[in-house]
Amino acid sequence: MTEYKAHFRCFRGCAGIHSIFEVIYTCPKCGGLLEVQHDLDALRTRSPNQWKKLFDDRVGSTQWPYGSGVWGKKEWIMPSISDDNVVSMYEGNSNLFWAERLGRQIGLSDLWVKLCGNSHTGSFKDLGMTVLVSVVKQMRDEGVPVRAVACASTGDTSAALAAYAAAAGIPAVIFLPEGKVSPAQLIQPIASGAHVLALDSDFDGCMRVIREITHAGDSPDSSIYLANSMNSLRIEGQKTVGIEIVQQFDWEIPDWIVIPVGNLGNISAIYKGLKLMQDLGIINRLPRLVAAQASKANPFYLSYLNGFERKVKVEAQSTLASAIQIGDPVSYEKAVQAIQETDGIVEQVNEHEMALAAAMADATGMYTCPHTGAALAALFKLLQRKIVASHQRVIVISTAHGLKFTPFKVGYHEGTLAEVESDLANPPVYLPANAAIVRDAIQRKLA
Ligand SMILES: *Cc1c(COP(=O)(O)O)cnc(C)c1O
Protein backbone atom coordinates (compact mmCIF):
# COMPACT_ATOMS: atom_id res chain seq x y z
CA MET A 1 0.00 0.00 0.00
CA THR A 2 1.22 3.47 -0.85
CA GLU A 3 2.21 5.54 2.12
CA TYR A 4 0.88 9.09 1.86
CA LYS A 5 2.98 11.68 3.65
CA ALA A 6 2.78 15.33 4.57
CA HIS A 7 5.11 17.71 6.40
CA PHE A 8 5.60 21.43 7.03
CA ARG A 9 7.86 23.52 4.89
CA CYS A 10 8.46 27.24 4.46
CA PHE A 11 5.88 28.88 2.21
CA ARG A 12 8.54 31.21 0.82
CA GLY A 13 10.69 28.25 -0.13
CA CYS A 14 13.48 28.16 2.49
CA ALA A 15 15.13 24.75 2.74
CA GLY A 16 14.10 22.31 5.47
CA ILE A 17 11.07 20.29 6.42
CA HIS A 18 9.39 19.83 9.79
CA SER A 19 7.10 17.20 11.21
CA ILE A 20 3.39 17.92 11.36
CA PHE A 21 3.58 16.92 15.02
CA GLU A 22 6.24 19.47 15.91
CA VAL A 23 5.11 22.64 17.72
CA ILE A 24 6.15 25.13 15.06
CA TYR A 25 4.24 27.89 13.25
CA THR A 26 6.73 29.90 11.25
CA CYS A 27 9.91 29.24 9.29
CA PRO A 28 12.95 29.24 11.62
CA LYS A 29 15.03 30.81 8.85
CA CYS A 30 12.89 33.68 7.52
CA GLY A 31 10.01 33.95 9.99
CA GLY A 32 7.46 33.50 7.19
CA LEU A 33 4.45 31.20 7.29
CA LEU A 34 4.74 27.46 6.87
CA GLU A 35 2.58 25.30 4.66
CA VAL A 36 1.75 21.63 4.63
CA GLN A 37 3.36 19.91 1.69
CA HIS A 38 2.04 16.58 0.45
CA ASP A 39 4.02 13.86 -1.29
CA LEU A 40 2.64 14.31 -4.80
CA ASP A 41 4.42 11.28 -6.21
CA ALA A 42 2.63 9.08 -3.71
CA LEU A 43 -0.70 10.77 -4.48
CA ARG A 44 -0.13 10.21 -8.20
CA THR A 45 -0.15 6.45 -7.72
CA ARG A 46 -3.93 6.78 -7.93
CA SER A 47 -5.34 8.07 -11.22
CA PRO A 48 -7.66 11.09 -11.34
CA ASN A 49 -10.62 8.78 -11.92
CA GLN A 50 -9.67 6.57 -8.98
CA TRP A 51 -9.53 9.59 -6.67
CA LYS A 52 -12.87 10.89 -7.89
CA LYS A 53 -14.51 7.52 -7.38
CA LEU A 54 -12.97 7.05 -3.95
CA PHE A 55 -14.16 10.47 -2.77
CA ASP A 56 -17.62 10.10 -4.33
CA ASP A 57 -18.06 6.71 -2.65
CA ARG A 58 -17.28 8.19 0.75
CA VAL A 59 -19.98 10.87 0.66
CA GLY A 60 -22.51 9.84 3.30
CA SER A 61 -20.35 6.89 4.38
CA THR A 62 -20.95 5.43 7.83
CA GLN A 63 -17.35 4.21 8.00
CA TRP A 64 -15.45 6.38 10.48
CA PRO A 65 -14.20 8.99 9.72
CA TYR A 66 -14.92 9.11 6.00
CA GLY A 67 -18.46 10.49 6.25
CA SER A 68 -16.93 13.86 7.14
CA GLY A 69 -16.44 16.13 4.14
CA VAL A 70 -12.92 16.77 5.38
CA TRP A 71 -11.88 13.25 6.39
CA GLY A 72 -13.46 11.73 3.31
CA LYS A 73 -10.39 13.22 1.62
CA LYS A 74 -8.01 12.20 4.37
CA GLU A 75 -5.15 11.22 2.04
CA TRP A 76 -5.06 14.78 0.71
CA ILE A 77 -5.48 16.44 4.09
CA MET A 78 -3.66 14.76 6.94
CA PRO A 79 -2.76 11.17 6.07
CA SER A 80 -0.66 10.43 9.16
CA ILE A 81 -3.46 10.79 11.69
CA SER A 82 -4.74 7.53 13.10
CA ASP A 83 -8.49 7.17 12.73
CA ASP A 84 -8.78 6.91 16.52
CA ASN A 85 -7.37 10.40 16.93
CA VAL A 86 -9.67 12.06 14.44
CA VAL A 87 -11.89 14.59 16.23
CA SER A 88 -14.76 15.05 13.82
CA MET A 89 -18.38 16.12 13.95
CA TYR A 90 -19.02 15.25 10.33
CA GLU A 91 -18.26 18.74 9.11
CA GLY A 92 -18.28 19.60 5.41
CA ASN A 93 -20.50 18.14 2.71
CA SER A 94 -22.52 21.33 3.02
CA ASN A 95 -25.28 22.13 0.59
CA LEU A 96 -24.47 23.87 -2.66
CA PHE A 97 -27.66 25.87 -3.12
CA TRP A 98 -28.82 26.87 -6.61
CA ALA A 99 -29.78 30.49 -5.99
CA GLU A 100 -32.22 30.50 -8.86
CA ARG A 101 -34.48 33.37 -7.78
CA LEU A 102 -31.69 35.63 -6.60
CA GLY A 103 -29.75 34.87 -9.78
CA ARG A 104 -32.74 35.85 -11.89
CA GLN A 105 -33.08 39.13 -10.02
CA ILE A 106 -29.49 40.10 -10.73
CA GLY A 107 -29.25 38.59 -14.22
CA LEU A 108 -27.09 35.56 -13.51
CA SER A 109 -28.61 32.20 -14.40
CA ASP A 110 -25.93 29.98 -12.91
CA LEU A 111 -25.52 31.37 -9.38
CA TRP A 112 -24.81 28.95 -6.55
CA VAL A 113 -24.27 29.55 -2.87
CA LYS A 114 -22.14 27.15 -0.85
CA LEU A 115 -23.86 27.07 2.53
CA CYS A 116 -20.84 26.47 4.76
CA GLY A 117 -22.66 27.86 7.78
CA ASN A 118 -24.77 24.68 7.82
CA SER A 119 -22.19 23.06 10.02
CA HIS A 120 -21.62 22.02 13.59
CA THR A 121 -20.75 25.44 15.04
CA GLY A 122 -22.38 27.41 12.25
CA SER A 123 -19.39 28.52 10.19
CA PHE A 124 -16.80 27.13 7.80
CA LYS A 125 -14.18 27.35 10.55
CA ASP A 126 -15.17 23.81 11.54
CA LEU A 127 -13.38 22.51 8.46
CA GLY A 128 -9.96 23.61 9.63
CA MET A 129 -10.51 23.02 13.31
CA THR A 130 -11.25 19.31 12.94
CA VAL A 131 -7.79 18.89 11.43
CA LEU A 132 -5.91 20.99 13.96
CA VAL A 133 -7.58 19.44 17.01
CA SER A 134 -7.03 15.94 15.63
CA VAL A 135 -3.30 16.63 15.23
CA VAL A 136 -3.16 17.96 18.79
CA LYS A 137 -4.93 14.85 20.06
CA GLN A 138 -2.34 12.68 18.38
CA MET A 139 0.50 14.86 19.71
CA ARG A 140 -0.81 14.49 23.26
CA ASP A 141 -1.14 10.75 22.75
CA GLU A 142 2.49 10.62 21.72
CA GLY A 143 3.60 12.54 24.80
CA VAL A 144 4.04 16.10 23.46
CA PRO A 145 3.24 18.29 26.49
CA VAL A 146 0.44 20.40 24.96
CA ARG A 147 -1.73 21.53 27.88
CA ALA A 148 -4.20 23.67 25.97
CA VAL A 149 -5.10 24.99 22.55
CA ALA A 150 -5.63 28.72 22.11
CA CYS A 151 -6.80 31.21 19.51
CA ALA A 152 -7.58 34.85 18.94
CA SER A 153 -10.83 35.21 17.13
CA THR A 154 -13.43 37.45 15.57
CA GLY A 155 -15.99 34.92 16.83
CA ASP A 156 -16.23 31.90 14.57
CA THR A 157 -12.73 30.49 15.03
CA SER A 158 -13.23 30.45 18.80
CA ALA A 159 -16.63 28.79 18.57
CA ALA A 160 -15.14 26.04 16.42
CA LEU A 161 -11.99 25.58 18.49
CA ALA A 162 -13.94 25.47 21.74
CA ALA A 163 -16.38 22.85 20.43
CA TYR A 164 -13.77 20.54 18.90
CA ALA A 165 -11.48 20.88 21.92
CA ALA A 166 -14.43 20.08 24.20
CA ALA A 167 -15.27 17.00 22.14
CA ALA A 168 -11.66 15.84 22.49
CA GLY A 169 -11.37 16.76 26.17
CA ILE A 170 -8.57 19.27 25.54
CA PRO A 171 -8.63 22.63 27.40
CA ALA A 172 -9.14 25.69 25.19
CA VAL A 173 -8.20 29.33 25.81
CA ILE A 174 -10.03 31.95 23.74
CA PHE A 175 -8.98 35.58 23.15
CA LEU A 176 -11.86 37.76 21.96
CA PRO A 177 -11.93 41.49 21.27
CA GLU A 178 -14.36 42.78 23.88
CA GLY A 179 -17.69 43.90 22.44
CA LYS A 180 -16.76 43.04 18.85
CA VAL A 181 -18.36 39.63 18.40
CA SER A 182 -22.04 38.75 18.22
CA PRO A 183 -23.84 37.48 21.36
CA ALA A 184 -24.16 34.03 19.77
CA GLN A 185 -20.44 33.91 19.02
CA LEU A 186 -19.58 34.97 22.56
CA ILE A 187 -21.76 32.37 24.22
CA GLN A 188 -20.58 29.48 22.05
CA PRO A 189 -17.09 29.02 23.61
CA ILE A 190 -18.50 29.84 27.05
CA ALA A 191 -21.02 27.01 26.67
CA SER A 192 -18.27 24.67 25.45
CA GLY A 193 -16.36 25.25 28.68
CA ALA A 194 -13.44 27.17 27.20
CA HIS A 195 -11.42 29.72 29.19
CA VAL A 196 -12.75 32.90 27.52
CA LEU A 197 -10.68 36.08 27.82
CA ALA A 198 -12.28 39.27 26.50
CA LEU A 199 -9.47 41.72 25.79
CA ASP A 200 -9.89 45.46 25.68
CA SER A 201 -8.60 45.56 22.10
CA ASP A 202 -9.48 44.61 18.51
CA PHE A 203 -8.74 41.33 16.73
CA ASP A 204 -5.29 42.47 15.64
CA GLY A 205 -4.50 43.32 19.27
CA CYS A 206 -5.66 39.87 20.44
CA MET A 207 -3.52 38.30 17.73
CA ARG A 208 -0.43 40.20 18.93
CA VAL A 209 -0.95 39.04 22.52
CA ILE A 210 -1.48 35.41 21.60
CA ARG A 211 1.58 35.38 19.38
CA GLU A 212 3.61 36.54 22.37
CA ILE A 213 2.06 34.07 24.76
CA THR A 214 2.66 31.11 22.48
CA HIS A 215 6.05 32.46 21.35
CA ALA A 216 4.77 31.91 17.84
CA GLY A 217 7.70 33.79 16.35
CA ASP A 218 10.84 32.22 17.78
CA SER A 219 10.86 29.27 20.14
CA PRO A 220 7.23 28.16 20.45
CA ASP A 221 6.05 27.25 23.91
CA SER A 222 4.56 23.83 23.44
CA SER A 223 2.34 24.01 26.50
CA ILE A 224 -0.19 26.30 24.76
CA TYR A 225 -0.73 25.40 21.14
CA LEU A 226 -1.73 28.16 18.70
CA ALA A 227 -4.85 27.38 16.69
CA ASN A 228 -5.09 30.49 14.51
CA SER A 229 -4.77 30.10 10.77
CA MET A 230 -1.15 31.21 10.89
CA ASN A 231 -0.93 27.58 11.97
CA SER A 232 -1.11 26.02 8.54
CA LEU A 233 -2.77 22.83 9.78
CA ARG A 234 -6.04 24.78 9.65
CA ILE A 235 -5.56 25.50 5.95
CA GLU A 236 -5.54 21.78 5.15
CA GLY A 237 -9.11 21.30 6.35
CA GLN A 238 -10.31 24.62 4.99
CA LYS A 239 -9.05 23.77 1.53
CA THR A 240 -11.76 21.11 1.17
CA VAL A 241 -14.34 23.83 0.40
CA GLY A 242 -12.89 24.38 -3.06
CA ILE A 243 -12.48 20.67 -3.70
CA GLU A 244 -16.01 19.95 -2.51
CA ILE A 245 -17.49 22.59 -4.82
CA VAL A 246 -15.85 20.98 -7.85
CA GLN A 247 -16.93 17.54 -6.67
CA GLN A 248 -20.53 18.72 -6.24
CA PHE A 249 -20.52 19.75 -9.90
CA ASP A 250 -19.44 16.24 -10.90
CA TRP A 251 -15.85 17.47 -11.06
CA GLU A 252 -16.55 20.41 -13.36
CA ILE A 253 -14.83 23.72 -12.68
CA PRO A 254 -16.93 26.85 -12.08
CA ASP A 255 -15.90 30.17 -13.59
CA TRP A 256 -15.78 32.17 -10.36
CA ILE A 257 -15.65 31.58 -6.62
CA VAL A 258 -16.44 34.62 -4.44
CA ILE A 259 -15.51 34.67 -0.75
CA PRO A 260 -15.48 37.26 2.03
CA VAL A 261 -11.97 37.68 3.44
CA GLY A 262 -10.39 38.96 6.64
CA ASN A 263 -7.28 37.20 7.86
CA LEU A 264 -6.92 35.65 4.37
CA GLY A 265 -6.50 32.04 5.49
CA ASN A 266 -9.56 30.71 3.76
CA ILE A 267 -8.95 32.15 0.33
CA SER A 268 -5.40 30.79 0.52
CA ALA A 269 -6.86 27.43 1.47
CA ILE A 270 -9.30 27.36 -1.42
CA TYR A 271 -6.48 28.08 -3.83
CA LYS A 272 -4.35 25.34 -2.26
CA GLY A 273 -7.11 22.75 -2.67
CA LEU A 274 -7.77 23.69 -6.26
CA LYS A 275 -4.06 23.71 -7.07
CA LEU A 276 -3.69 20.22 -5.63
CA MET A 277 -6.48 19.03 -7.91
CA GLN A 278 -4.72 20.61 -10.85
CA ASP A 279 -1.38 19.05 -9.89
CA LEU A 280 -3.04 15.64 -9.74
CA GLY A 281 -4.65 16.09 -13.16
CA ILE A 282 -8.21 16.18 -11.83
CA ILE A 283 -8.93 19.65 -13.22
CA ASN A 284 -7.15 21.42 -16.04
CA ARG A 285 -7.75 25.07 -15.16
CA LEU A 286 -8.55 27.13 -12.09
CA PRO A 287 -11.66 29.20 -11.39
CA ARG A 288 -11.10 32.91 -10.87
CA LEU A 289 -11.21 33.86 -7.18
CA VAL A 290 -12.84 37.03 -5.89
CA ALA A 291 -11.97 38.28 -2.40
CA ALA A 292 -14.64 40.53 -0.90
CA GLN A 293 -13.73 43.01 1.84
CA ALA A 294 -15.72 45.45 3.93
CA SER A 295 -14.62 48.99 3.08
CA LYS A 296 -14.21 49.58 6.84
CA ALA A 297 -11.54 46.88 7.03
CA ASN A 298 -9.97 46.75 3.60
CA PRO A 299 -6.18 46.25 3.80
CA PHE A 300 -6.18 43.53 1.16
CA TYR A 301 -8.22 45.67 -1.21
CA LEU A 302 -5.77 48.56 -0.77
CA SER A 303 -2.85 46.20 -1.39
CA TYR A 304 -4.57 44.97 -4.54
CA LEU A 305 -4.96 48.56 -5.73
CA ASN A 306 -1.21 49.06 -5.44
CA GLY A 307 -0.63 45.89 -7.47
CA PHE A 308 0.51 44.03 -4.33
CA GLU A 309 3.70 46.09 -4.42
CA ARG A 310 3.52 46.36 -0.65
CA LYS A 311 1.31 45.01 2.11
CA VAL A 312 -1.06 47.68 3.42
CA LYS A 313 -2.16 47.52 7.06
CA VAL A 314 -5.06 49.54 8.41
CA GLU A 315 -6.76 50.02 11.74
CA ALA A 316 -9.97 48.10 11.10
CA GLN A 317 -13.10 50.17 11.70
CA SER A 318 -16.32 48.79 13.09
CA THR A 319 -18.31 46.90 10.42
CA LEU A 320 -21.41 44.73 10.39
CA ALA A 321 -19.14 42.06 8.90
CA SER A 322 -17.43 41.66 12.26
CA ALA A 323 -15.77 38.32 11.43
CA ILE A 324 -13.68 40.07 8.78
CA GLN A 325 -12.90 43.17 10.82
CA ILE A 326 -9.14 42.68 10.53
CA GLY A 327 -6.51 45.26 9.64
CA ASP A 328 -3.30 43.23 9.48
CA PRO A 329 -4.07 39.91 7.78
CA VAL A 330 -1.75 37.06 8.73
CA SER A 331 -2.00 34.99 5.53
CA TYR A 332 -1.33 37.95 3.25
CA GLU A 333 1.43 36.40 1.15
CA LYS A 334 -0.52 33.21 0.54
CA ALA A 335 -3.59 35.18 -0.49
CA VAL A 336 -1.61 37.32 -2.93
CA GLN A 337 -0.56 34.11 -4.63
CA ALA A 338 -4.17 32.90 -4.69
CA ILE A 339 -5.33 36.08 -6.44
CA GLN A 340 -2.40 36.30 -8.83
CA GLU A 341 -2.41 32.65 -9.89
CA THR A 342 -6.15 32.60 -10.56
CA ASP A 343 -6.41 35.98 -12.32
CA GLY A 344 -8.45 36.94 -9.30
CA ILE A 345 -9.98 40.19 -8.11
CA VAL A 346 -10.32 41.97 -4.78
CA GLU A 347 -13.44 44.10 -4.30
CA GLN A 348 -14.78 46.14 -1.41
CA VAL A 349 -18.34 46.94 -0.38
CA ASN A 350 -19.86 49.36 2.11
CA GLU A 351 -22.23 48.65 4.97
CA HIS A 352 -25.36 49.46 3.01
CA GLU A 353 -24.34 47.28 0.07
CA MET A 354 -23.65 44.21 2.20
CA ALA A 355 -26.86 44.60 4.22
CA LEU A 356 -28.96 45.01 1.09
CA ALA A 357 -27.40 41.99 -0.60
CA ALA A 358 -27.99 39.88 2.52
CA ALA A 359 -31.63 41.00 2.71
CA MET A 360 -32.16 40.23 -0.98
CA ALA A 361 -30.72 36.75 -0.52
CA ASP A 362 -32.85 36.15 2.57
CA ALA A 363 -35.98 37.12 0.67
CA THR A 364 -35.22 34.32 -1.81
CA GLY A 365 -34.94 31.63 0.84
CA MET A 366 -31.46 32.00 2.26
CA TYR A 367 -30.51 33.34 5.70
CA THR A 368 -27.21 35.05 5.17
CA CYS A 369 -24.64 36.43 7.57
CA PRO A 370 -23.24 39.92 6.84
CA HIS A 371 -20.02 38.47 5.39
CA THR A 372 -21.98 36.47 2.86
CA GLY A 373 -23.80 39.73 2.14
CA ALA A 374 -20.41 41.32 1.45
CA ALA A 375 -19.49 38.54 -0.99
CA LEU A 376 -22.84 38.84 -2.77
CA ALA A 377 -22.54 42.63 -2.96
CA ALA A 378 -19.06 42.29 -4.48
CA LEU A 379 -20.51 39.93 -7.07
CA PHE A 380 -23.30 42.39 -7.90
CA LYS A 381 -20.65 45.05 -8.62
CA LEU A 382 -18.62 42.77 -10.87
CA LEU A 383 -21.78 41.81 -12.76
CA GLN A 384 -22.70 45.45 -13.25
CA ARG A 385 -19.24 46.15 -14.60
CA LYS A 386 -19.60 43.11 -16.85
CA ILE A 387 -16.43 41.58 -15.46
CA VAL A 388 -18.59 38.62 -14.52
CA ALA A 389 -20.74 37.65 -17.52
CA SER A 390 -24.40 36.69 -17.16
CA HIS A 391 -23.90 33.15 -18.51
CA GLN A 392 -21.00 32.26 -16.22
CA ARG A 393 -21.16 29.84 -13.33
CA VAL A 394 -20.51 31.64 -10.07
CA ILE A 395 -20.22 30.21 -6.57
CA VAL A 396 -20.55 32.47 -3.57
CA ILE A 397 -19.22 31.03 -0.35
CA SER A 398 -21.61 31.63 2.50
CA THR A 399 -19.23 31.48 5.43
CA ALA A 400 -21.46 31.49 8.51
CA HIS A 401 -25.06 30.86 9.45
CA GLY A 402 -27.28 33.93 9.68
CA LEU A 403 -28.58 32.70 13.03
CA LYS A 404 -25.25 33.70 14.56
CA PHE A 405 -26.01 37.31 13.65
CA THR A 406 -29.49 37.95 14.99
CA PRO A 407 -28.80 41.58 16.02
CA PHE A 408 -27.80 42.27 12.37
CA LYS A 409 -31.09 40.81 11.12
CA VAL A 410 -33.21 42.53 13.75
CA GLY A 411 -31.44 45.83 13.18
CA TYR A 412 -32.00 45.60 9.46
CA HIS A 413 -35.71 44.94 9.70
CA GLU A 414 -36.15 47.55 12.43
CA GLY A 415 -34.22 50.05 10.33
CA THR A 416 -31.67 50.81 13.05
CA LEU A 417 -28.35 49.82 11.43
CA ALA A 418 -25.82 52.63 11.01
CA GLU A 419 -25.11 53.67 7.41
CA VAL A 420 -27.79 51.30 6.10
CA GLU A 421 -31.07 52.21 4.40
CA SER A 422 -33.40 49.29 5.15
CA ASP A 423 -35.07 49.26 1.73
CA LEU A 424 -36.31 45.70 2.22
CA ALA A 425 -37.39 45.97 5.86
CA ASN A 426 -40.22 43.59 6.62
CA PRO A 427 -41.36 44.37 10.15
CA PRO A 428 -44.14 42.38 11.82
CA VAL A 429 -47.64 43.86 11.89
CA TYR A 430 -49.17 44.20 15.36
CA LEU A 431 -52.93 43.63 15.47
CA PRO A 432 -55.68 42.86 17.96
CA ALA A 433 -56.91 39.25 17.92
CA ASN A 434 -59.89 40.11 15.77
CA ALA A 435 -60.58 38.05 12.63
CA ALA A 436 -62.13 40.89 10.65
CA ILE A 437 -59.20 43.21 11.25
CA VAL A 438 -56.72 40.42 10.53
CA ARG A 439 -58.50 39.46 7.30
CA ASP A 440 -58.39 43.08 6.26
CA ALA A 441 -54.69 43.35 6.91
CA ILE A 442 -53.91 40.19 4.90
CA GLN A 443 -56.06 41.40 2.02
CA ARG A 444 -54.23 44.72 1.90
CA LYS A 445 -50.87 42.95 1.97
CA LEU A 446 -51.73 40.60 -0.91
CA ALA A 447 -53.41 43.29 -3.01
C1 LIG B 1 -13.25 33.67 9.30
C2 LIG B 1 -14.37 34.18 8.52
C3 LIG B 1 -14.20 34.76 7.25
C4 LIG B 1 -12.89 35.06 6.62
O1 LIG B 1 -11.91 34.07 6.60
P1 LIG B 1 -10.37 34.49 6.70
O2 LIG B 1 -9.63 33.23 6.60
O3 LIG B 1 -10.19 35.21 8.01
O4 LIG B 1 -10.10 35.42 5.55
C5 LIG B 1 -15.34 35.14 6.57
N1 LIG B 1 -16.57 34.97 7.08
C6 LIG B 1 -16.75 34.42 8.29
C7 LIG B 1 -18.15 34.27 8.80
C8 LIG B 1 -15.67 34.01 9.05
O5 LIG B 1 -15.88 33.48 10.26
Side-chain angles (χ1 to χ4, degrees):
M1 222 181 86
T2 316
E3 200 200 334
Y4 301 107
K5 286 184 296 238
H7 49 248
F8 287 130
R9 67 149 189 201
C10 172
F11 175 72
R12 293 176 183 154
C14 298
I17 59 172
H18 312 274
S19 162
I20 296 293
F21 303 100
E22 193 181 321
V23 178
I24 183 168
Y25 315 111
T26 53
C27 172
K29 295 203 174 72
C30 73
L33 294 180
L34 299 174
E35 70 173 347
V36 174
Q37 184 180 40
H38 291 267
D39 178 352
L40 285 180
D41 289 335
L43 292 174
R44 286 193 181 110
T45 58
R46 273 194 169 103
S47 71
N49 280 333
Q50 285 172 324
W51 282 120
K52 291 191 238 178
K53 174 146 186 6
L54 180 71
F55 293 166
D56 284 342
D57 286 349
R58 286 177 180 166
V59 175
S61 168
T62 52
Q63 191 194 342
W64 178 264
Y66 298 124
S68 152
V70 173
W71 296 102
K73 301 179 175 65
K74 188 179 177 200
E75 295 82 353
W76 291 13
I77 308 298
M78 206 47 66
S80 43
I81 292 283
S82 81
D83 287 349
D84 293 343
N85 282 325
V86 169
V87 183
S88 169
M89 298 192 258
Y90 274 31
E91 49 291 312
N93 287 328
S94 58
N95 182 22
L96 188 55
F97 176 97
W98 181 28
E100 187 186 4
R101 278 191 68 209
L102 182 63
R104 216 181 301 132
Q105 287 171 14
I106 61 170
L108 188 64
S109 55
D110 214 0
L111 171 62
W112 299 76
V113 180
K114 178 72 170 153
L115 297 177
C116 296
N118 295 3
S119 182
H120 187 66
T121 70
S123 88
F124 69 167
K125 298 295 200 296
D126 291 350
L127 302 171
M129 227 36 110
T130 180
V131 173
L132 182 135
V133 174
S134 300
V135 171
V136 172
K137 184 154 185 248
Q138 186 145 323
M139 284 162 79
R140 282 163 55 107
D141 257 19
E142 289 170 1
V144 181
V146 174
R147 289 168 57 209
V149 286
C151 74
S153 176
T154 53
D156 290 327
T157 298
S158 47
L161 178 64
Y164 282 82
I170 300 170
V173 185
I174 304 297
F175 293 66
L176 290 173
E178 187 190 340
K180 296 188 177 67
V181 305
S182 78
Q185 289 171 321
L186 174 60
I187 202 65
Q188 283 184 294
I190 290 175
S192 300
H195 189 37
V196 178
L197 309 170
L199 304 196
D200 178 16
S201 180
D202 57 6
F203 170 80
D204 298 291
C206 291
M207 196 65 222
R208 276 193 300 276
V209 172
I210 200 167
R211 281 169 97 137
E212 262 186 59
I213 286 186
T214 57
H215 298 276
D218 32 40
S219 53
D221 169 8
S222 63
S223 70
I224 300 180
Y225 189 73
L226 178 68
N228 278 98
S229 58
M230 80 178 275
N231 184 329
S232 56
L233 294 175
R234 291 260 311 281
I235 305 290
E236 290 311 292
Q238 289 166 186
K239 81 182 182 194
T240 57
V241 179
I243 302 169
E244 206 171 279
I245 288 170
V246 175
Q247 181 179 15
Q248 285 171 310
F249 280 115
D250 296 329
W251 305 97
E252 275 180 31
I253 315 147
D255 297 301
W256 297 90
I257 297 179
V258 188
I259 177 174
V261 302
N263 220 8
L264 302 178
N266 281 284
I267 190 164
S268 314
I270 288 171
Y271 169 71
K272 192 165 190 276
L274 294 167
K275 182 72 172 55
L276 178 62
M277 282 202 282
Q278 193 179 36
D279 288 343
L280 295 177
I282 290 168
I283 57 176
N284 56 17
R285 64 177 175 89
L286 298 175
R288 295 179 70 182
L289 299 183
V290 177
Q293 290 225 286
S295 50
K296 302 259 184 195
N298 62 353
F300 195 49
Y301 177 72
L302 296 176
S303 304
Y304 172 76
L305 288 188
N306 76 35
F308 296 126
E309 297 252 309
R310 62 199 159 75
K311 176 181 174 181
V312 178
K313 297 179 196 176
V314 301
E315 186 165 335
Q317 306 298 307
S318 177
T319 167
L320 293 166
S322 51
I324 54 175
Q325 190 175 322
I326 294 175
D328 181 10
V330 166
S331 293
Y332 174 77
E333 285 172 50
K334 291 182 177 178
V336 170
Q337 181 193 46
I339 293 295
Q340 287 178 334
E341 297 291 316
T342 64
D343 192 16
I345 292 175
V346 186
E347 187 51 271
Q348 67 170 356
V349 303
N350 66 29
E351 301 294 290
H352 174 72
E353 290 164 337
M354 71 175 79
L356 176 62
M360 283 174 69
D362 288 0
T364 64
M366 285 176 266
Y367 197 70
T368 46
C369 71
H371 325 86
T372 305
L376 286 167
L379 169 63
F380 296 176
K381 286 188 172 178
L382 297 178
L383 251 176
Q384 261 163 14
R385 277 193 244 129
K386 300 204 185 325
I387 294 169
V388 172
S390 60
H391 66 275
Q392 288 185 308
R393 175 170 288 171
V394 181
I395 319 298
V396 171
I397 299 197
S398 178
T399 48
H401 203 293
L403 285 171
K404 294 182 100 171
F405 298 90
T406 300
F408 163 66
K409 297 288 182 202
V410 173
Y412 186 85
H413 290 285
E414 287 181 345
T416 54
L417 298 181
E419 300 179 39
V420 173
E421 301 285 334
S422 295
D423 306 325
L424 302 179
N426 180 33
V429 180
Y430 297 93
L431 297 173
N434 173 312
I437 295 174
V438 170
R439 194 179 303 116
D440 225 47
I442 296 173
Q443 227 99 69
R444 255 180 288 130
K445 177 74 182 176
L446 297 182

